Amino acid sequence: MSAANAPTAGEYIGHHLTHLQNKPMAGVIDFSVYNLDSIFWSVLLGVVGCFLLWRAAKAATSGAPGRFQAAVEILVEMVDTQAKGIIHNAESRKLVSPLALTVFVWIFLMNSMDFLPVDFFHGVFSATGLDHSIHYFRVVPTADLSSTLGLSVSVLLICIYYNIKIKGLGGWFHELTTAPFGAHPILWPFNFVFQMIEFVAKTVSHGMRLFGNMYAGELIFMLIALMGGTAAMSLTGILLPVGHILAGSIWAIFHILIVALQAFIFMMLTLVYIGQAHDAH
């Protein structure tokens, strides 16, 4: 593509931030529209994560572990330690600990897709002729708000399950109407509304936190890529190309920490919220 026909910076970013969808969106909110790229990568990486954990469990031995087994054992021990510190019900931990491990591995893999070059798949599609049918394609599911809110809503449903399982339906309803302001009947509506607001706020913030950090990381990688494009067309000096290399390298190294940290934070909040469902007020 010639420089005259090249997209502007805004068009380039807008193109890379647009999802591959099953049909054009009819309005601002249209629940019949699906982000096919997010669904594809979420399912694929979920299968990959489960396969890796299954392989580690199958290959586990009582002897000296290999590097992969040792890494998985360290991860499992870390998650189990966090679960024991938050959820004191040993029976619940039989489900919650594997769940937290799965959440961490799954989100870590989805976040790690951000390390792929911004134009990698678009280059592949162009080389294979698929660019005529696949115009938009995003590869970071956690930079999609629908994905992260789907995860946080799933955590909410698990919390509701444990609220009912641990306290009973009547006990949970009693808690909804008597905490935090007191058990006087006049306060019941206020308590219930406050509890609903708390559930909604925790769920929305849980998903928004992961989405916001990964979306910002994806955007910064695009801005750095644009700097590289400008550097490639610049013939007047070497400062811009050097700045591009330095900025890209520094941000990539820093992003490794962000990818792992965001997976850990989402996992910890999952444990905290489930642990709160075990507490009686």
Side-chain angles (χ1 to χ4, degrees):
M1 183 179 293
S2 64
N5 297 325
T8 65
E11 291 171 342
Y12 176 85
I13 293 175
H15 179 271
H16 283 285
L17 292 180
T18 303
H19 287 282
L20 174 65
Q21 298 178 326
N22 61 319
K23 66 177 184 179
M25 184 173 291
V28 177
I29 299 178
D30 189 347
F31 292 106
S32 65
V33 178
Y34 309 106
N35 294 336
L36 299 176
D37 41 16
S38 295
I39 294 174
F40 171 79
W41 286 113
S42 297
V43 173
L44 177 62
L45 294 173
V47 172
V48 170
C50 290
F51 174 76
L52 292 175
L53 294 176
W54 172 77
R55 286 291 300 171
K58 185 178 180 181
T61 62
S62 57
R67 294 179 180 178
F68 176 65
Q69 181 183 339
V72 174
E73 287 180 356
I74 292 173
L75 179 60
V76 171
E77 184 177 355
M78 181 271 293
V79 173
D80 191 56
T81 300
Q82 299 298 331
K84 287 180 179 178
I86 297 173
I87 300 172
H88 306 294
N89 187 314
E91 185 64 26
S92 295
R93 286 201 305 272
K94 293 180 180 179
L95 173 63
V96 176
S97 293
L99 171 67
L101 177 64
T102 303
V103 165
F104 179 85
V105 172
W106 191 18
I107 294 180
F108 179 83
L109 291 175
M110 290 192 289
N111 291 352
S112 297
M113 295 300 292
D114 212 9
F115 293 125
L116 291 176
V118 174
D119 293 305
F120 175 77
F121 282 100
H122 292 281
V124 172
F125 295 152
S126 179
T128 56
L130 292 175
D131 55 329
H132 297 294
S133 56
I134 304 178
H135 302 287
Y136 305 107
F137 195 71
R138 296 182 65 182
V139 299
V140 186
T142 45
D144 179 5
L145 184 58
S146 59
S147 298
T148 58
L149 285 181
L151 289 168
S152 63
V153 168
S154 299
V155 173
L156 172 65
L157 295 177
I158 295 172
C159 291
I160 293 175
Y161 166 77
Y162 275 108
N163 268 301
I164 297 175
K165 179 181 179 181
I166 299 298
K167 305 164 189 174
L169 186 59
W172 185 43
F173 182 77
H174 178 267
E175 180 180 284
L176 291 177
T177 55
T178 59
F181 300 124
H184 195 284
I186 296 178
L187 298 175
W188 290 358
F190 300 99
N191 288 325
F192 184 80
V193 170
F194 187 87
Q195 291 275 3
M196 293 301 103
I197 292 174
E198 181 181 358
F199 276 115
V200 172
K202 288 193 298 186
T203 302
V204 172
S205 64
H206 198 190
M208 286 290 291
R209 180 181 289 104
L210 177 59
F211 159 74
N213 281 279
M214 297 313 302
Y215 186 90
E218 190 177 28
L219 185 59
I220 291 176
F221 270 126
M222 292 180 194
L223 294 174
I224 294 174
L226 286 172
M227 186 188 297
T230 305
M233 294 185 292
S234 175
L235 302 176
T236 59
I238 198 168
L239 292 180
L240 190 58
V242 170
H244 169 250
I245 295 173
L246 289 175
S249 301
I250 293 172
W251 180 248
I253 294 171
F254 180 66
H255 205 59
I256 295 174
L257 174 62
I258 294 177
V259 162
L261 183 61
Q262 290 305 315
F264 178 78
I265 291 174
F266 195 96
M267 179 204 73
M268 287 300 298
L269 288 175
T270 298
L271 289 174
V272 168
Y273 293 157
I274 296 176
Q276 290 176 346
H278 287 71
D279 298 334
H281 294 281

